[in-house]
Amino acid sequence: MLTAKLIDNVWATRKADTLSGYKFMLAEVIGGGSQDGQRMIVVDNISAGIGDRVIVCTGSSARRMLGDDNLPVDAVVVGIIDEDCQFG
Amino acid sequence: MLTAKLIDNVWATRKADTLSGYKFMLAEVIGGGSQDGQRMIVVDNISAGIGDRVIVCTGSSARRMLGDDNLPVDAVVVGIIDEDCQFG
Amino acid sequence: MLTAKLIDNVWATRKADTLSGYKFMLAEVIGGGSQDGQRMIVVDNISAGIGDRVIVCTGSSARRMLGDDNLPVDAVVVGIIDEDCQFG
Amino acid sequence: MLTAKLIDNVWATRKADTLSGYKFMLAEVIGGGSQDGQRMIVVDNISAGIGDRVIVCTGSSARRMLGDDNLPVDAVVVGIIDEDCQFG
Amino acid sequence: MLTAKLIDNVWATRKADTLSGYKFMLAEVIGGGSQDGQRMIVVDNISAGIGDRVIVCTGSSARRMLGDDNLPVDAVVVGIIDEDCQFG
């Protein structure tokens, strides 16, 4: 999984019918190395908010978070890193 | 998912039989970081057009957008970002 | 999917039994961005040739092109870009 | 698989229900090349510790390590490299 | 698939039970581009040796090489490139 910081909401009125009601957010990778600063769009269903540092799961495993294997989603928030957790 | 801008159509007369009728477009990643500017070919089935900023889903999840798990497709447009949506 | 140029054949006499008879080719990514110039080996079963610009599908979706989900293949040519197609 | 060094624990009180009880750790890729120094979060269920050099399996294969295909996990420790193993 | 050179063995006494008996090797990507020099650990079951140039299959397709979809493996040697094969 990746560590990322949620930096904004993303709105897409026209989208796959199956994605209606899901919350899309822009996340920025905060892990070190060459991926640092890379941005991606993630689905959040555990009420994460802008500014939160989160754990993002990608690929087919992301669908496991949403309980529906038919969703066209490849990145989801699976955890919110504790505020007092210093790491790295 | 990735944020990308659709920049052109791509034509491939000779292709997998199962891909007949699908629209292929060239997309350029617009998220920040090391992937910025990277190009890929995506399938669009929600009438996105050149210039649109879109959400691209990749990997096995891309097949979920097309309702046919037998298609050799690994990147699709799943949403069109609202024009008035400033993000990042 | 990626856009790539086929630049050579690759021969591997000793390989997985299930891969006997498949044609392996060296492809170079021609999309812009950080992946540019990256090389990979792809399977071709639509008679693409050296010099052709092709669309390459990767990951589990690549197996869909070959009609056998048991093949250890993660990249295939799914289309040949038309010669008169200028893009980008 | 990747070679990585475990560098810290990561705590996320709020996370997917299915992930309760799993140990998350921050890992830093130590293989050479452009991925060097890249960080990721991995699940460990073979009692690896901070400082250990480990083999990390990613993607759908990661779920195979945990014996539950429904977990939203895309990176796990599958082995601990022997201390006296010099490689590279 | 990737082209890589096998550069060493990797020993991990403590590992997933399901991986007992498999041979792990350190491979270095030799394709051009930004992945050049990147290292990964691959499983070999076709008797490849140090110094061999091999074709590496990654992701879920890697499990197809080993005939067991439950293995936590994401990279395997699927072919050994012929010694007299000049490519690129």
Side-chain angles (χ1 to χ4, degrees):
Chain A
M1 284 75 67
L2 300 165
T3 41
K5 187 170 190 169
L6 297 180
I7 54 176
D8 214 340
N9 293 293
V10 176
W11 306 103
T13 305
R14 215 155 94 209
K15 60 174 172 292
D17 293 339
T18 52
L19 296 178
S20 289
Y22 285 99
K23 182 173 68 159
F24 291 85
M25 298 193 79
L26 189 68
E28 184 170 299
V29 177
I30 54 175
S34 64
Q35 281 193 304
D36 212 51
Q38 186 179 313
R39 292 179 178 193
M40 60 174 65
I41 294 182
V42 299
V43 167
D44 164 54
N45 69 342
I46 56 171
S47 301
I50 294 176
D52 283 345
R53 296 174 305 158
V54 295
I55 302 174
V56 174
C57 177
T58 62
S60 61
S61 297
R63 300 195 300 269
R64 269 59 181 179
M65 182 68 186
L66 303 174
D68 180 350
D69 196 54
N70 288 316
L71 293 174
V73 165
D74 65 11
V76 297
V77 174
V78 296
I80 302 172
I81 298 172
D82 291 353
E83 276 188 33
D84 59 356
C85 174
Q86 307 292 335
F87 62 86
Chain B
M1 284 75 66
L2 300 166
T3 41
K5 188 170 190 170
L6 297 179
I7 54 175
D8 213 340
N9 294 292
V10 176
W11 306 104
T13 306
R14 215 155 95 208
K15 61 175 172 291
D17 293 340
T18 51
L19 296 178
S20 289
Y22 285 99
K23 181 172 70 159
F24 291 86
M25 299 193 78
L26 190 67
E28 186 171 298
V29 176
I30 53 174
S34 65
Q35 281 193 306
D36 213 51
Q38 188 179 313
R39 290 177 179 194
M40 60 175 63
I41 294 182
V42 299
V43 166
D44 164 55
N45 70 341
I46 56 169
S47 301
I50 294 175
D52 282 346
R53 297 175 305 158
V54 296
I55 301 174
V56 173
C57 177
T58 62
S60 61
S61 297
R63 300 195 300 269
R64 269 60 181 178
M65 182 67 186
L66 303 174
D68 180 351
D69 196 54
N70 288 315
L71 292 174
V73 165
D74 65 11
V76 298
V77 174
V78 297
I80 302 172
I81 298 172
D82 291 353
E83 276 188 33
D84 59 356
C85 175
Q86 307 292 334
F87 62 87
Chain C
M1 285 76 66
L2 300 165
T3 42
K5 188 170 189 170
L6 297 179
I7 54 176
D8 214 340
N9 294 292
V10 176
W11 305 103
T13 305
R14 216 155 95 209
K15 60 175 172 292
D17 293 340
T18 51
L19 296 179
S20 289
Y22 284 99
K23 183 173 67 158
F24 291 85
M25 300 193 78
L26 189 67
E28 185 170 299
V29 175
I30 52 175
S34 66
Q35 282 194 305
D36 211 53
Q38 188 179 312
R39 290 177 180 194
M40 59 175 64
I41 294 184
V42 299
V43 167
D44 164 54
N45 70 341
I46 57 170
S47 301
I50 294 174
D52 282 346
R53 297 175 305 159
V54 296
I55 301 173
V56 174
C57 178
T58 62
S60 61
S61 298
R63 299 195 301 269
R64 269 58 182 180
M65 182 68 186
L66 303 173
D68 180 351
D69 195 54
N70 289 315
L71 292 173
V73 166
D74 64 11
V76 298
V77 174
V78 297
I80 303 172
I81 298 172
D82 291 352
E83 278 188 32
D84 59 357
C85 175
Q86 307 291 335
F87 62 86
Chain D
M1 283 76 66
L2 299 165
T3 42
K5 188 171 190 170
L6 297 179
I7 54 175
D8 214 339
N9 294 293
V10 176
W11 306 103
T13 305
R14 215 155 95 210
K15 60 175 172 291
D17 294 338
T18 51
L19 296 178
S20 288
Y22 284 99
K23 184 172 68 158
F24 291 85
M25 299 194 76
L26 189 67
E28 185 169 299
V29 176
I30 55 174
S34 64
Q35 282 193 304
D36 212 51
Q38 187 179 315
R39 291 178 177 193
M40 59 175 65
I41 293 183
V42 299
V43 167
D44 164 55
N45 69 342
I46 57 171
S47 301
I50 294 176
D52 282 346
R53 295 175 305 158
V54 295
I55 302 174
V56 173
C57 177
T58 62
S60 61
S61 297
R63 299 195 302 268
R64 269 60 182 179
M65 182 68 186
L66 304 173
D68 180 351
D69 197 54
N70 289 316
L71 293 174
V73 166
D74 64 11
V76 298
V77 174
V78 296
I80 302 172
I81 298 172
D82 291 354
E83 276 188 33
D84 59 355
C85 175
Q86 308 291 335
F87 61 87
Chain E
M1 284 75 66
L2 299 165
T3 42
K5 189 170 190 169
L6 297 179
I7 55 176
D8 214 339
N9 293 292
V10 176
W11 305 103
T13 305
R14 214 155 96 211
K15 61 175 172 289
D17 293 340
T18 51
L19 296 179
S20 289
Y22 284 99
K23 184 172 67 160
F24 291 86
M25 300 193 78
L26 190 66
E28 184 171 300
V29 175
I30 53 174
S34 64
Q35 281 194 304
D36 212 52
Q38 187 179 313
R39 289 176 179 196
M40 59 174 66
I41 294 184
V42 299
V43 166
D44 165 54
N45 70 342
I46 56 171
S47 301
I50 294 175
D52 282 345
R53 297 175 304 159
V54 296
I55 302 173
V56 174
C57 177
T58 62
S60 61
S61 297
R63 300 195 302 268
R64 269 60 182 180
M65 181 69 186
L66 304 173
D68 180 351
D69 196 54
N70 289 316
L71 293 174
V73 166
D74 65 10
V76 299
V77 174
V78 296
I80 302 171
I81 298 172
D82 292 353
E83 276 187 34
D84 59 355
C85 174
Q86 308 291 335
F87 61 87

